[in-house]
Amino acid sequence: MKIRPEILDHWPEVSARFPAGFDLEATARSRGAFTRVREIKNAATLLRLALAYGGLGMSLRETCAWAEAGGIARLSDPSLLERLCKAAPWLGDIVAALIAEQTKVPAGRWAGYRLRVLDGTSICQPGADRTTWRLHVGYDLATAQVDQLELTDIHGAENLQRLTYAPGNIVLADRYYARPRNLRPVIDAGADFIVRTGWNSFAPAADEWRAL
């Protein structure tokens, strides 16, 4: 087991990025993520534990050992898992608030266009041998910021309809997204796209491609 004490030093940088007026304590209590003070003393500590476990690739046992070594919290593996499961809606609120804050940043443009990238990644729960969830991410290249997120189960297919578009947008995606039925909403929104594809992919749906 490798405990990483150096990550204790980055909490001030992380907490400084929260939107102005976002109350960790109040939102955690309203969502039922933090209801009483026991092993975990406050909502900020709960968030630090969630980031250590979910963002740094540590196991539950390593996270608990890390927290105890740093004087953050002292709790068992099952207790930490229970707390994190209850915190899921609250953590979603934090992500939504951060993305909403990013939308206030003026969109950067190249030659008048806003370039956006869409891709998805598979997430497996512990012990799973196949995809459990899919995370669909929209990324603004000019601001270097995530501008949209959607989490689905295994049945949530990757397609361009996961994002919303506006005139002046150019969406970039790999060949998996190069399907006529998925490209049409981009065009209907007044946006453009760049997708990677091969000539053979045109033949099975030639009529659909011509309709674009």
Side-chain angles (χ1 to χ4, degrees):
M1 182 186 301
K2 181 181 180 181
I3 305 302
R4 301 168 55 187
E6 72 275 9
I7 63 178
L8 294 169
D9 300 330
H10 296 291
W11 175 247
E13 301 170 25
V14 173
S15 59
R17 292 182 176 271
F18 292 130
F22 188 87
D23 190 327
L24 280 180
E25 203 74 24
T27 53
R29 290 185 179 279
S30 67
R31 278 296 209 169
F34 186 75
T35 55
R36 56 181 177 175
V37 176
R38 294 184 65 183
E39 302 94 343
I40 299 175
K41 302 304 181 184
N42 50 50
T45 298
L46 178 58
L47 179 57
R48 294 179 75 178
L49 291 168
L51 291 173
Y53 176 64
L56 296 170
M58 293 194 292
S59 67
L60 287 169
R61 179 173 297 180
E62 288 171 330
T63 304
C64 290
W66 166 81
E68 185 171 353
I72 297 173
R74 185 176 183 180
L75 69 172
S76 65
D77 302 5
S79 179
L80 174 60
L81 180 60
E82 180 183 0
R83 292 297 192 97
L84 294 179
C85 288
K86 289 181 179 179
W90 176 59
L91 295 174
D93 290 345
I94 294 174
V95 173
L98 289 171
I99 292 178
E101 187 73 8
Q102 292 170 9
T103 62
K104 300 176 184 178
V105 178
R109 294 176 179 270
W110 280 281
Y113 290 96
R114 180 185 177 198
L115 300 183
R116 304 173 69 202
V117 180
L118 173 63
D119 204 357
T121 186
S122 297
I123 303 173
C124 298
Q125 68 181 20
D129 60 357
R130 63 187 64 186
T131 298
T132 308
W133 304 283
R134 285 196 180 94
L135 182 63
H136 311 270
V137 181
Y139 187 81
D140 186 305
L141 286 177
T143 59
Q145 300 279 2
V146 171
D147 60 11
Q148 281 190 247
L149 281 176
E150 184 175 354
L151 181 66
T152 67
D153 60 17
I154 190 175
H155 304 294
E158 296 179 49
N159 61 64
L160 292 178
Q161 298 180 53
R162 297 287 175 192
L163 294 184
T164 56
Y165 306 97
N169 289 182
I170 298 179
V171 59
L172 312 176
D174 63 26
R175 63 183 179 182
Y176 189 83
Y177 294 85
R179 300 177 181 180
R181 65 178 179 276
N182 296 327
L183 297 173
R184 171 53 65 183
V186 180
I187 297 172
D188 290 344
D192 297 289
F193 57 82
I194 299 174
V195 293
R196 185 166 63 91
T197 189
W199 291 110
N200 291 336
S201 66
F202 285 86
D207 291 340
E208 290 184 67
W209 281 106
R210 281 195 290 269
L212 289 177

